[in-house]
Amino acid sequence: MGETFFENLCAQSGITCNGSKIDKTGWDYIVEFGFQNNDEIHEAPICCKVQVKSTDTFGGNNQIKLSNLRRMCTEHMPTFYLFINFNGTNDAQDVCLVHVHKELITEVFKKIQTINQDTPLESLHKKKMYIKYSGDQKLAVNTGDCLKDNMLK
């Protein structure tokens, strides 16, 4: 339901989302925005990667495998987690967009470094870390345009 909801949001706002056929690389979608400034012919369109996580409770955090976080933190393009709370219904109640920003990357690498003393890097899929999100990251309205605006910010 979460991925279908995300695809609909992208379609509403005219952005392209290309799904991952095999979910082993840490992301669900590559999102491509149109050209932002048609006067600058040398600028590429903005692209990012998104991992969609669905839940039935809005707890303000979600556990993510460290192997997934490592992948998202080392990408060469912006990355996001989209947390969708359905609250036991068929409609999205709360949608939070979490940008994988500098502070989060630092926190993830510190956690991996601490764990790596006892666990080899290839075993990171067995360890998890909580990603916190708050009302600040919640979409004001659950529309494609609101999602697009928040991603571009």
Side-chain angles (χ1 to χ4, degrees), residues 54-62 84-88 94 133:
S54 300
T55 181
D56 273 327
T57 58
F58 187 80
N61 61 51
N62 202 311
I84 305 168
N85 171 28
F86 288 93
N87 199 25
D94 299 299
Y133 46 93

Side-chain angles (χ1 to χ4, degrees), residues 2-17:
E3 290 184 9
T4 300
F5 178 76
F6 176 72
E7 291 171 6
N8 288 333
L9 289 180
C10 289
Q12 287 173 17
S13 63
I15 55 179
T16 303
C17 66

